[in-house]
């Protein structure tokens, strides 16, 4: 493995692992007001395309890293949507 | 350009552009409580390594996409740190 390869693998590991603390924080606190729906909508779509790109090339490192990132980003996106929907419903129903 | 190349370029554009609405939301609202410091610390480091990887390979698409993502992720990380530092100082000084 070249030095460039090693840097690439470390980079891929970090940019995927980074979403673990965000997913855990959001699951724990349900605090999604400062999280951008636009970001997670576009990002999740982009990562799904990275996964398709990896599958098209048959490149396992790209497939594995992006499958993991997709699962984490989709979790955060789902929490953003479901928590805000519940908050809107609660407000509309007078906090019941 | 192959179909796989086209998917790769679209994927890179989306995963970079995704951070624009998050950076704008955070600049506008200063609402950083739900944003994970761990995520942006690790992610910014990972993107800096992707940039180093692109420079090592001399691959301009990797360099350009990651330079843009690095600027956006570093902006969000800086806002997270500076806004929470100011909030802590304000609380400590009795809201002055």
């Amino acid at each position: 493995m070249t030095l460039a390869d090693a840097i690439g693998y470390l980079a891929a590991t970090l940019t995927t692992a980074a979403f673990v603390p965000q997913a855990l924080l959001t699951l724990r606190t349900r605090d999604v007001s400062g999280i951008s729906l636009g970001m997670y909508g576009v990002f999740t779509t982009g990562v799904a395309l990275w996964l398709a790109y990896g599958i098209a090339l048959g490149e396992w490192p790209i497939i594995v890293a992006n499958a993991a990132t997709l699962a984490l980003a989709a979790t955060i996106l789902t929490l953003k949507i479901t928590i805000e929907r519940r908050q809107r419903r609660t407000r509309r129903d007078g906090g019941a």
Side-chain angles (χ1 to χ4, degrees), chain A:
Chain A
M1 186 163 38
T2 66
L3 177 60
D5 284 347
I7 294 173
Y9 278 112
L10 182 57
T13 304
L14 292 182
T15 51
T16 291
F19 289 89
V20 173
Q22 180 66 66
L24 291 177
L25 180 75
T26 307
L27 278 166
R28 190 163 50 80
T29 64
R30 326 291 289 180
D31 180 357
V32 293
S33 61
I35 286 179
S36 163
L37 178 64
M39 168 178 163
Y40 280 93
V42 174
F43 191 79
T44 303
T45 308
V47 174
L49 288 177
W50 274 125
L51 181 59
Y53 175 77
I55 291 168
L57 298 190
E59 286 285 349
W60 278 101
I62 300 175
I63 295 169
V64 172
N66 286 289
T69 311
L70 181 61
L72 292 162
T75 298
I76 298 165
L77 176 63
T78 304
L79 286 167
K80 168 75 181 173
I81 293 169
T82 55
I83 291 168
E84 293 205 328
R85 184 179 298 160
R86 195 168 308 130
Q87 285 168 347
R88 272 196 306 276
R89 195 178 300 141
T90 305
R91 268 201 303 277
R92 203 186 52 214
D93 298 347

